[in-house]
Amino acid sequence: MEKLMARISREGDIHSGGVLKVDSFINHQIDPALMYDCAAELLDRFKDRNFNKILTIESSGIVPAVLAGYIAGLPVVFAKKTKPISMGKAYSTTIHSFTRDNDYEVMISEEFLTADDRVLFIDDFLAYGNAALGMIDICRQAGASIEGMGFLIEKKFQNGRYAIGKSDASVKVESLAIIESHLGF
Amino acid sequence: MEKLMARISREGDIHSGGVLKVDSFINHQIDPALMYDCAAELLDRFKDRNFNKILTIESSGIVPAVLAGYIAGLPVVFAKKTKPISMGKAYSTTIHSFTRDNDYEVMISEEFLTADDRVLFIDDFLAYGNAALGMIDICRQAGASIEGMGFLIEKKFQNGRYAIGKSDASVKVESLAIIESHLGF
């Protein structure tokens, strides 16, 4: 997607460890108009799929996921990193973050993900694919099917697409901007 | 706001300690169409104010803030609870959560909040007002002015509006649904 790629070229910064900083329009300051266009483009790429719910993980994934949910008229569920005191039974999984070099747990209440759900997962980044694998695990626990996984930015050199394919070869993966190497596009 | 009040009556649950659970449409599962209407209504209530940026705190505040930013054509900045490794100098403050009975730090990069900014703060809940007071503190550090603070739900019995007024009497506060007591509306 031309518009997103151009913005990354102009404002993105590659830091050590392959961290791409896009804090001025995605991860800290948000450009809602650009995010809306990204959400619409992701939906367009999955228009051949039949999904009834959009899934994401807090926090940055919430932005494109909610805008996609608004455009498509679908509910959005975001996996939570801390268990609210009022949460009942939940599916959970552990995700390893290479960026922070730590493990964190995410959970989705059993109320909001069931075997009737056909999910489109949307997130800001596809890096090593660990967050995506965690969501595949949670969907398996719930018996929900994953119709697709859409990302704003894919860091191709971290091979997340390969990791998703190994876990579930049937999942369609789309990314709006693909970064080929540590050095940039 | 009738539509939001009706939804809270139907699906909201009051738990011990005055915690209002609205997980089915705001805090875990999101109804994007309802959130869009809430964002539009908040903007309408502040149409007499001149702001150039919308501020919120991750995670649940992001939803109404981004939709408001989309409608108004303004950038959104969300205060972060963890410092990304790529973040430079930042304003930070400590917020006490009565719900979780702990303190947490939030921060905003100096890049994205300056003395030129006139801020509309948007969040999901106004309870004791601690998150709002934290944002007033951060805006003071940056020299930014606060044009208003808008909330989806105000738990009036926790007196957050009074706490905001004591800290900065000039801040206009609006809430779309006001819960009068521990027992409900």
Side-chain angles (χ1 to χ4, degrees), chain A residues 15-21 23 97-102 155, chain B residues 80 82-89 107:
Chain A
H15 285 237
S16 60
V19 173
L20 174 64
K21 188 180 174 189
D23 271 9
S97 165
F98 279 96
T99 312
R100 295 182 178 281
D101 191 25
N102 66 9
K155 295 190 282 181
Chain B
K80 303 189 81 128
T82 49
K83 191 179 170 88
I85 52 176
S86 58
M87 188 186 260
K89 285 176 79 179
M107 60 214 81

Side-chain angles (χ1 to χ4, degrees), chain A residues 21 23-24 27-30 32 36 53 58-59 70 74 76-78 80 82 86 100 109 111-112, chain B residues 21 23-24 27-30 32 36 53 58-59 70 74 76-78 80 82 86 100 109 111-112:
Chain A
K21 188 180 174 189
D23 271 9
S24 61
N27 289 136
H28 186 11
Q29 181 166 256
I30 297 158
Y36 184 95
K53 189 167 276 184
E58 63 179 346
S59 292
Y70 174 69
L74 292 176
V76 176
V77 172
F78 65 93
K80 303 189 82 127
T82 49
S86 58
R100 295 182 178 281
S109 168
E111 286 179 77
F112 303 126
Chain B
K21 188 181 174 189
D23 271 9
S24 61
N27 289 136
H28 186 11
Q29 181 167 256
I30 298 157
Y36 184 96
K53 190 167 274 184
E58 64 180 345
S59 291
Y70 174 69
L74 291 176
V76 176
V77 172
F78 64 93
K80 303 189 81 128
T82 49
S86 58
R100 295 183 179 281
S109 168
E111 285 179 78
F112 304 126

